[in-house]
Amino acid sequence: MKKMMLVTSTLVFAPLLLMGAEAFAQGVDSQDLPDDETTVLKAVTVTSQRREQAVTDVPIAISAFSGEEIQDKVISDPVGLADITPGLSASFSASGAPSYSIRGVGLEDFIGNNTSGTAVYVDEVYPVSSTQQAFQLFDLERVEVLKGPQGTLYGRNATGGAISFITAKPSDELESSVRLRYDTLDQLNATGVVSGPISEETRGRVAVNYAYGTSAWQKGVRGSEDAAQLDKLSARAHIDTQLGGNVYALFTGFVERNKSIDKSWQADDRLGLDGVLGIQFSSSGNVDEVDLGPFFSGVDGTDQPETDNLLYGANARFEIGTGIGKITSISAYQVLDRELYENNDGTPARLVDFLFRTDVEQFSQEFRINADPTDYLTIVGGVFFGYDTIGVNDTVLNTDFYELVAPAGARPSDFGLEITSTTDTEQETTSLGAYLHTEWRLSEKLGLTAAGRVSHDDRTFSGAAFDDTGYLTSVPGAALVELEQTEKETNFSWRLGFDYDATENTMLYASAATGFKSGVFFSGPTPDPGAWGYVEPEELLALEVGVKSTLNRRLYVGVSAFHYDYSDKQTLSFVQVPLGAIATLGNIEDSTVMGGEVELQYAMLDSLNLNLGVAYLDSEIDKAPTMVRGLSFAVPIANGARLTQTPEWTANAALDYAFDLSDTLEGDFALSLNYTDEKVLYLADPLAVTDSYYALGFRLGVGNPRAGWQLALIGRNITDEDGKTFAAANLVGNQIYELQEPASLSVELKMEF
């Protein structure tokens, strides 16, 4: 009964909301609309269904943002999208890789051979590892966040939805721009773009972004080195050309070099361990301070959580017009060489300090056809091939943990040892897919969507974890865990939906769809063989209803409600071994997620615009596991417990006002607010819970469009909130956590030439 209440209430509530909104919009006489229609909503075009459509015509829940919006809101990496997207949660994991969750479906793992149940695409290319998805955002055309399973068109790992980044393409006319921003955290962000024709048939575009901290904003205490200092250099180039009358080609190359010093977590001392054996088990607790202690200096001379990443690749896209439709070919190649030091315990103690090394190489090829064989039928069909290898070589330093738990005479200090262990693994995957997406107009008002996709993955894993110093085995370099295994998976995902045009500007839709996240081999650093192993694929059945309506050309309202039956959710949890609690990945057999979202855009008079998004989530575990590969949970998981990454409420609001200062000068002012409710980060860990938090920001700008310049003052987290955005227990039972970035002001100058 409870599971149907939300869907039922939405079916009743949505029409009432729209009736009230329509009456409100009609309350403003159409004669008040100026001739230039400055108060009319801007049309948003998306390609979520692999073809261009107005966002209001697509019968799924979508949040879409222009590249200019992303820049104006100072969103420099994909994680920041959670601040403006209802139903999306995002954070950086223990390995510094991003973790995304749409409607509670995402990723909790921190090992480089895994990826999220929310798929990320850049120009329709899927990066296979979560470690590839922390790229800089610059020179974008738009971003689309698709909610609900997208397995038919997007394939594996789109269980919760997909985030699609579409970069800006070459322009017909010569244009260039520069955007410079500097903030009170001593961070500089600079973007330069040049675009235009190369010849009569060929155009090009080059964009470069540099994010650099002139100093670190986390200052070291007690003699520690500083942390949190950006150093990212990114570049992208497009060349497109017309190869004859019906053949279009687009070639893309990109590279990103990251040598930043990462921000460090914090840790409390709720167990009162500070000073035991002369070890400091907590940090200052202030977001702008850091206490790294010796870190890896006793092992390889590193004093800070440094990064050394190189990501590069190339894409080739061909579009051929034929008598039966448009044929598209997308070939893509990517390489990641990643090395990252992380102070995962957040303290000067050497409890869990990591050196993550990940090497990724991937190739993919997709062929697709878009056809309209009749006036009432649209077809998108295609085949996909992908091959990737992911090498993981991670070292963990935890000398002080063994110093604490070992008896006198057997402590590392008694032997003069630094205790490290290293995992060395390789995962090789071959993926095949074939899909067909059809849209039928059954009548002038009624439409049907029917789609299906067959996916096959062949995955081979081999690797081991080693006792580097021999402290645990008395044999330096001895294997603690070894695994070599091959798994094959075949899945059929489908979608069936109806849409009904209740009026010229109002669409109702309902759908049933399935999603599939491929299985994975968990290989985190551990002294226990039971923690390693294959984790079964997860599947999801989604039911959704929704309404999209544009009223009086100035008010858009989108309402959706959904119910998910979630099978074998992959979840990171803590299990008990003789040395204490360790992390591993397992499956939750059955769980349920249900919720709803409302998005509203209102173009008011005098260039005043309101954007509002609210999402509600209710989740519970229906059949809780009791063990993972024979290991008991550190804290039992109960039926009815809330799933991870499912805050009950999230909301975002923005109010924008544009005004004239003179005949040549224009001004703009914007206020923004985002809110995230309490959420659980990991199961079987009572400390992995964050309280609710919010952030308030503003933007005040002045510019001369004719002269091509704009100057803005931007405030972020202006009330200096310090809510926890991440929390978990560390090895000794204290809480580690990440705080919101402190309040900052920045000045931005944009010039167009």
Side-chain angles (χ1 to χ4, degrees), residues 254-267:
F254 62 91
V255 63
E256 179 169 301
R257 188 270 296 157
N258 182 3
K259 289 185 175 292
S260 303
I261 299 173
D262 262 21
K263 178 173 62 174
S264 179
W265 290 346
Q266 308 290 331

Side-chain angles (χ1 to χ4, degrees), residues 699-731:
R699 177 187 178 89
L700 178 63
V702 61
N704 185 331
R706 296 177 188 173
W709 64 266
Q710 185 185 53
L711 186 66
L713 177 67
I714 302 166
R716 303 185 67 191
N717 189 19
I718 57 176
T719 56
D720 203 23
E721 302 302 315
D722 60 354
K724 295 177 181 177
T725 60
F726 173 88
N730 64 16
L731 281 179

